[in-house]
Amino acid sequence: MSAEMPEDSAPLIEFDAVSKDFGKFRALNGIDLEVGRGERLVICGPSGSGKSTLIRCINGLEQIDSGRIVVDGVALEPGGRGARQVRGKVGMVFQQFNLFPHLTVLENLTLGPVRARGLSRADAEATARRYLARVRIPEQAEKYPRQLSGGQQQRVAIARSLCMEPGIMLFDEPTSALDPEMINEVLDVMTELAETGMTMIVVTHEMGFARRVADRVVFMDAGEIVEMAPPDRFFTAPESQRCRDFLQKLLHH
Amino acid sequence: MIRIALFLGLLLALSGCSGNWGWYVVDPRTTSGWNNLRFLLSGLEYTVYLSAVAITISMTVGLLVALPALSPFPWLRRASRVYVELVRSVPLLVLILWVYYGLPQLTGLTLSVFWAGVIALALSDSAFQAEIFRGGIQSIARGQYEAAYSVSLGYRDTMRYVILPQALRRILPALGNQLIYMLKMSSLVSVIGMQELTRKANELVVVEYRPLEIYTILVLEYLVLILIVSSGVRWLERRLQADES
């Protein structure tokens, strides 16, 4: 595992024997994982395998039950209070976009920077317009989310996260709720983001994206990391039977 | 609603011919009728003022009671529940009497009729407001909190800028109902001598002994007042909807 880590850099995110339960259901079972600065990780696996839970633990949306996560020097521990501090360093994009429907696109993008980062409205708007241009929808700034297509909404959501200037971006099945013809416009934006050197953890079943962009691909099942390898090896020679079965199903889908 | 008003107008016009009515008592063409009419209308100010102050307080208290109802701590939820159940089970008229005659004895404070009325109305309504706010806040999807937290907002900013603005839009019709309910229930404060619409009508009936005409005017006063308020609420709803589409 450590052989694949980029050398001479301390891990930016570190999971140490992390477990998480939902009642009697064990969502994460003793996860160990290190993610280096600038690394792109793609996580896949069947539903209920714990992949969403894993990334939601990184910005404290889920409290872990045992073990420890360190994100850029901030520790998240069971019952700990590191979540707020970590959220300033980590952006997150959700499957359902979760834009604020009562605010315009521009207001969606400036709310966090103004309220949490203490930027002036003018600075926040300038930043917002810069990122809207980067996700290629500068002309939609004054509209409300419901006036946009799904693909546009998800790109707004990406821009909203980027406005917080995070060092890490988490993507929780960012294209699963999109119509097929809109998937690529979102993946293209994510690919460009990867090229800027952003550290990214992406939960997705878009294996083409994984092949193109990922440094490592992780396969999870039943709350555990079953397989982890660079894409060329992951797709051609997976070691575990569970991973082979999963890829088989995905490709014949 | 316009149809209802027309129907009532027609009814009055017809009844005017039947001889059992004595509209002279509020006939604006005579001095005494005009004075009576002005006397009846002079209660309007108190009805509106009393209701407005009471609903402002009850909404604030309602929100403050609703928030702990949604807390992860069971004892906070229970405290909120107890408040709602307790307050909701006291009849408003009983509460008005208790606040006006009972509370000063208990606390040593003397309450004006107005503030006794406001406290009783606000207290009684706050339990319903709390339920409305709780429902409204609960109807906002989990993902909205998560998105707000993920852009580093704390609980307070999340509620203030993300959750409550959306919840308020959803509960606006229910809040409108409560305001109408408040305007009507304020008539009960007449029993402790508050000079609002109903009290004025009662006083005039004693003098003129024309309950049919005077109470009909009273009905019309409430009707017009509430039709205005409810069209105002609907205008606000439409405006907020237009905002987003």
Side-chain angles (χ1 to χ4, degrees):
Chain A
M1 218 186 280
S2 54
E4 270 113 28
M5 284 284 309
E7 279 167 44
D8 68 76
S9 75
L12 188 58
I13 304 170
E14 196 174 352
F15 278 66
D16 183 11
V18 171
S19 293
K20 167 75 189 169
D21 301 306
F22 292 113
K24 283 183 179 161
F25 177 71
R26 174 140 284 208
L28 295 180
N29 189 17
I31 298 284
D32 290 309
L33 177 67
E34 290 182 355
V35 182
R37 200 173 289 274
E39 198 181 3
R40 275 90 55 168
L41 204 69
V42 164
I43 305 178
C44 60
S47 62
S49 60
K51 53 195 193 303
S52 282
T53 307
L54 185 142
I55 67 167
R56 289 163 60 86
C57 286
I58 296 173
N59 69 345
L61 286 182
E62 305 289 355
Q63 278 261 4
I64 60 175
D65 292 312
S66 66
R68 183 178 138 96
I69 304 173
V70 180
V71 182
D72 198 11
V74 181
L76 291 165
E77 281 162 337
R81 296 184 164 271
R84 188 83 195 275
Q85 213 183 333
V86 159
R87 284 174 194 150
K89 304 167 183 282
V90 182
M92 185 160 197
V93 174
F94 302 88
Q95 183 177 354
Q96 301 294 340
F97 327 138
N98 294 349
L99 294 177
F100 307 130
H102 60 300
L103 301 178
T104 63
V105 165
L106 200 61
E107 288 165 343
N108 265 274
L109 267 57
T110 53
L111 181 60
V114 170
R115 292 293 146 200
R117 290 181 64 211
L119 258 63
S120 73
R121 186 152 297 281
D123 286 350
E125 284 190 8
T127 310
R129 290 191 190 275
R130 188 153 46 83
Y131 281 115
L132 277 180
R134 202 156 124 192
V135 299
R136 291 194 286 273
I137 35 175
E139 73 286 358
Q140 311 285 13
E142 320 301 333
K143 289 197 178 162
Y144 285 91
R146 74 177 58 162
Q147 296 169 285
L148 306 182
S149 73
Q152 290 174 324
Q153 289 191 47
Q154 193 60 300
R155 285 185 281 151
V156 170
I158 294 171
R160 177 175 68 181
S161 288
L162 292 175
C163 282
M164 296 298 291
E165 312 280 3
I168 301 162
M169 284 287 285
L170 307 174
F171 293 84
D172 189 3
E173 306 207 29
T175 57
S176 300
L178 292 176
D179 292 332
E181 74 270 20
M182 293 172 184
I183 291 177
N184 279 330
E185 64 188 64
V186 171
L187 291 181
D188 288 348
V189 165
M190 290 168 61
T191 306
E192 282 173 29
L193 185 62
E195 284 160 5
T196 67
M198 174 71 75
T199 308
M200 292 165 68
I201 303 184
V202 184
V203 172
T204 186
H205 290 158
E206 293 295 330
M207 290 301 124
F209 174 80
R211 232 183 253 274
R212 270 199 324 275
V213 173
D215 295 307
R216 284 185 295 167
V217 184
V218 173
F219 172 72
M220 287 185 71
D221 194 20
E224 290 172 358
I225 291 176
V226 177
E227 184 106 20
M228 175 155 57
D232 48 351
R233 190 143 51 88
F234 183 89
F235 289 110
T236 52
E239 284 167 22
S240 72
Q241 187 60 42
R242 274 190 285 179
C243 189
R244 275 198 292 275
D245 290 346
F246 177 76
L247 287 174
Q248 201 74 28
K249 268 182 223 150
L250 211 59
L251 297 175
H252 288 277
H253 174 62
Chain B
M1 213 155 8
I2 293 164
R3 247 176 289 169
I4 297 169
L6 281 176
F7 172 74
L8 278 171
L10 193 68
L11 205 69
L12 285 174
L14 284 174
S15 67
C17 311
S18 77
N20 287 330
W21 296 71
W23 282 117
Y24 68 86
V25 73
V26 287
D27 188 340
R29 288 166 303 184
T30 66
T31 317
S32 65
W34 174 239
N35 283 341
N36 283 346
L37 211 52
R38 276 180 38 198
F39 179 76
L40 286 175
L41 280 169
S42 67
L44 185 65
E45 184 192 340
Y46 284 111
T47 292
V48 171
Y49 189 41
L50 184 71
S51 304
V53 175
I55 198 125
T56 308
I57 296 174
S58 75
M59 278 176 67
T60 313
V61 175
L63 178 60
L64 292 177
V65 174
L67 290 177
L70 301 160
S71 124
F73 305 109
W75 61 274
L76 272 177
R77 291 202 299 270
R78 212 167 307 130
S80 168
R81 192 79 244 141
V82 166
Y83 178 88
V84 169
E85 293 297 340
L86 220 64
V87 171
R88 207 163 53 170
S89 51
V90 182
L92 179 54
L93 184 55
V94 175
L95 196 61
I96 290 169
L97 294 172
W98 189 85
V99 168
Y100 187 60
Y101 295 109
L103 202 58
Q105 277 194 34
L106 191 70
T107 59
L109 291 169
T110 39
L111 281 172
S112 69
V113 169
F114 179 80
W115 283 107
V118 164
I119 289 172
L121 283 172
L123 207 60
S124 161
D125 194 50
S126 67
F128 297 96
Q129 296 283 3
E131 292 291 272
I132 292 170
F133 273 105
R134 184 170 64 90
I137 294 169
Q138 266 173 338
S139 77
I140 305 300
R142 185 89 221 118
Q144 291 291 305
Y145 292 88
E146 295 181 348
Y149 293 153
S150 78
V151 290
S152 281
L153 297 187
Y155 173 77
R156 200 179 295 196
D157 281 346
T158 298
M159 291 314 276
R160 181 163 161 207
Y161 296 106
V162 177
I163 305 301
L164 287 178
Q166 294 185 62
L168 271 174
R169 269 160 229 240
R170 288 194 193 176
I171 65 178
L172 200 60
L175 293 180
N177 271 342
Q178 285 311 109
L179 180 55
I180 288 167
Y181 173 84
M182 186 69 93
L183 285 165
K184 295 196 289 188
M185 290 306 125
S186 69
S187 61
L188 289 175
V189 185
S190 63
V191 299
I192 55 172
M194 178 77 201
Q195 296 286 316
E196 43 63 73
L197 287 174
T198 304
R199 178 72 179 199
K200 295 281 186 189
N202 281 337
E203 287 179 359
L204 195 63
V205 165
V206 173
V207 179
E208 296 283 357
Y209 206 66
R210 272 286 169 189
L212 177 57
E213 294 76 13
I214 291 168
Y215 287 136
T216 303
I217 294 289
L218 182 61
V219 166
L220 290 176
E221 283 176 314
Y222 280 112
L223 188 71
V224 170
L225 178 62
I226 283 161
L227 290 184
I228 291 170
V229 167
S230 61
S231 63
V233 171
R234 241 167 314 124
W235 172 80
L236 198 61
E237 269 174 62
R238 269 199 310 274
R239 228 201 64 175
L240 287 175
Q241 270 167 12
D243 247 17
E244 285 173 45
S245 52

